[in-house]
């Protein structure tokens, strides 16, 4: 079978590997259908991911069909794949938080991912994608990241919320904050991206970096700020955007240390929340939102391409994402 591999930073190749015909005990064989290419994959290609060893088959935003009957699944069932393989025995897992398992292995990061024809996945990591297209099912994981962050934030319907970073994760976060009834604002440095989000996804309050956000009614800041930028400078600047009594949720991950002024942090009685990956409840809420068209998945997929196309265009996609929301490889 063909596999898309980041051999080293800046080097992506299609290689041939043996197609698995058996799965470990408790796992299910899947024929992969579609793979979303996300910021993590671009960071891997660029050598910016903090938790990765090369070479690596990338791809963790996955949909597939069951290759053979197993563990209650029938051959041909379309499924969404939760790519976070938890140990089940560490303290986090025992407390119902497998998303931050001490020994976690994420497909496409800690172990080879799904940019290939076939993959074995733990049976408990599969969720029915009935009612979704194969491409929609491949976009569930990135939306679940935002849904998880919103759920952790405990925002209320009358809260004023700011999401910094209008990439796929930030957009997903904004959409699920809107579903909670919050007044949602989005901040980004790309006018093109903000115009898309405003016109196509109905996020009305879009702000361009550098335009003086904390003025007028917004002078006291936001009840909850979500960072989805992947930028150290943006994360550090975000502390000043949190209102007194508010919360700051760090959704993106960076390699570097983050610093902030302790007096400013304390006078706000600010909550600082890390949000990592997602849980089953988040995947299920995203699947339901897509199935019922509360979120229109068709507007999130910028383009579909083949594995061969990706090998040619990955440098371009990684370097120029101004107009790109989500590229999906169909297999």
């Amino acid at each position: 079978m063909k596999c898309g591999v980041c051999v080293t930073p800046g080097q992506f190749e299609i290689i041939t590997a043996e197609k698995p015909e058996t799965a470990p005990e408790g796992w299910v064989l899947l024929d992969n259908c579609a793979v979303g290419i996300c910021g993590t994959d671009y960071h891997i290609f660029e050598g910016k991911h903090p938790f990765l060893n090369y070479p690596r088959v990338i791809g963790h935003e996955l949909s597939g069909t069951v290759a053979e009957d197993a563990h209650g699944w029938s051959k041909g069932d379309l499924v969404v794949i939760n790519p976070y393989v938890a140990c089940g025995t560490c303290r986090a897992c025992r407390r119902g938080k497998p998303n931050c398992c001490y020994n976690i292995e994420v497909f496409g990061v800690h172990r080879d991912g799904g940019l290939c024809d076939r993959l074995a996945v733990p049976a408990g990591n599969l969720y029915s994608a009935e009612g979704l297209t194969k491409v929609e099912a491949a976009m569930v994981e990135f939306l679940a990241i935002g849904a998880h962050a919103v759920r952790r934030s405990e925002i209320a319907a009358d809260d004023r919320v700011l999401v910094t970073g209008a990439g796929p994760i930030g957009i997903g976060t904004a959409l699920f904050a809107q579903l909670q009834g919050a007044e949602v604002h989005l901040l980004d440095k790309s006018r093109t991206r903000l115009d898309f989000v405003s016109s196509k996804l109905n996020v009305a309050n879009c702000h361009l970096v550098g335009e003086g956000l904390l003025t007028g009614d917004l002078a006291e800041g936001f009840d909850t700020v979500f960072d989805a930028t992947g930028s150290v400078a943006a994360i550090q600047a975000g502390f000043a955007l949190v209102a007194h009594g508010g919360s700051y949720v760090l959704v993106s991950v960076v390699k570097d240390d983050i610093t902030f002024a302790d007096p400013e942090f304390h006078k706000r009685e600010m909550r600082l929340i890390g949000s990592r990956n997602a849980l089953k409840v988040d995947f299920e809420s995203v699947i339901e939102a897509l199935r019922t068209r509360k979120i229109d998945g068709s507007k999130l997929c910028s383009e579909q391409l083949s594995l061969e196309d990706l090998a040619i265009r990955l440098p371009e996609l990684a370097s120029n994402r101004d107009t790109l929301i989500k590229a999906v490889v169909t297999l």
Side-chain angles (χ1 to χ4, degrees):
M1 66 176 181
K2 294 180 179 179
C3 302
V5 180
C6 272
V7 181
T8 61
Q11 183 181 356
F12 178 82
E13 296 180 0
I14 299 174
I15 67 167
T16 300
E18 185 175 352
K19 190 175 184 178
E21 299 296 339
T22 60
E25 180 64 30
W27 292 45
V28 178
L29 279 178
L30 302 175
D31 291 321
N32 295 321
C33 296
V35 183
I37 305 302
C38 84
T40 295
D41 301 308
Y42 298 128
H43 287 162
I44 290 170
F45 178 71
E46 295 166 336
K48 297 178 181 178
H49 198 284
F51 305 124
L52 187 117
N53 294 316
Y54 297 87
R56 180 64 69 219
V57 178
I58 62 172
H60 64 276
E61 298 180 1
L62 309 171
S63 70
T65 55
V66 175
E68 57 186 33
D69 295 357
H71 303 290
W73 295 100
S74 299
K75 182 177 180 178
D77 286 344
L78 179 64
V79 294
V80 171
I81 300 167
N82 178 337
Y84 323 127
V85 181
C87 71
T89 58
C90 72
R91 184 167 181 81
C93 286
R94 296 198 308 271
R95 299 179 68 211
K97 299 181 178 181
N99 61 304
C100 50
C101 167
Y102 185 80
N103 303 300
I104 199 168
E105 291 187 311
V106 180
F107 285 110
V109 179
H110 307 92
R111 60 190 303 149
D112 283 341
L115 199 60
C116 57
D117 295 329
R118 180 171 285 184
L119 187 68
V121 177
N125 285 52
L126 305 180
Y127 313 128
S128 173
E130 183 179 356
L132 305 187
T133 68
K134 295 175 181 180
V135 170
E136 285 175 333
M139 295 192 290
V140 167
E141 191 271 346
F142 90 79
L143 289 169
I145 299 291
H148 181 71
V150 169
R151 190 168 57 81
R152 277 184 56 72
S153 73
E154 301 176 346
I155 61 174
D158 60 348
D159 280 358
R160 178 181 291 160
V161 168
L162 175 68
V163 180
T164 62
I169 299 300
I171 288 172
T173 303
L175 292 176
F176 277 91
Q178 284 195 155
L179 290 179
Q180 291 295 109
E183 175 192 317
V184 178
H185 296 249
L186 194 56
L187 177 67
D188 199 86
K189 61 184 180 181
S190 168
R191 172 55 67 188
T192 301
R193 187 175 288 273
L194 290 175
D195 287 344
F196 170 84
V197 173
S198 177
S199 62
K200 300 295 185 181
L201 302 178
N202 300 317
V203 180
N205 303 303
C206 292
H207 308 273
L208 193 65
V209 171
E211 288 189 341
L213 183 59
L214 298 182
T215 60
D217 292 341
L218 304 179
E220 293 186 23
F222 297 85
D223 303 303
T224 302
V225 176
F226 296 88
D227 175 83
T229 65
S231 162
V232 173
I235 292 172
Q236 294 180 161
F239 283 87
L241 302 176
V242 181
H244 285 228
S247 300
Y248 194 15
V249 185
L250 303 185
V251 191
S252 60
V253 59
V254 295
K255 281 185 173 183
D256 307 273
D257 293 340
I258 301 298
T259 61
F260 56 90
D262 187 63
E264 291 295 322
F265 179 81
H266 273 84
K267 81 177 185 181
R268 287 168 167 79
E269 197 183 53
M270 189 191 304
R271 287 197 309 163
L272 182 60
I273 303 170
S275 182
R276 187 182 187 193
N277 300 329
L279 292 168
K280 180 179 180 181
V281 63
D282 306 306
F283 279 84
E284 291 176 338
S285 68
V286 171
I287 291 169
E288 180 64 15
L290 290 169
R291 185 182 289 135
T292 59
R293 299 299 181 250
K294 292 178 181 177
I295 291 177
D296 187 348
S298 67
K299 294 181 179 179
L300 297 172
C301 181
S302 304
E303 60 178 297
Q304 299 179 39
L305 61 161
S306 68
L307 180 57
E308 289 75 16
D309 290 336
L310 181 67
I312 297 169
R313 296 188 55 208
L314 185 55
E316 168 205 339
L317 296 173
S319 63
N320 183 16
R321 286 174 262 166
D322 194 45
T323 59
L324 181 70
I325 301 302
K326 179 59 58 177
V328 178
V329 176
T330 53
L331 300 170

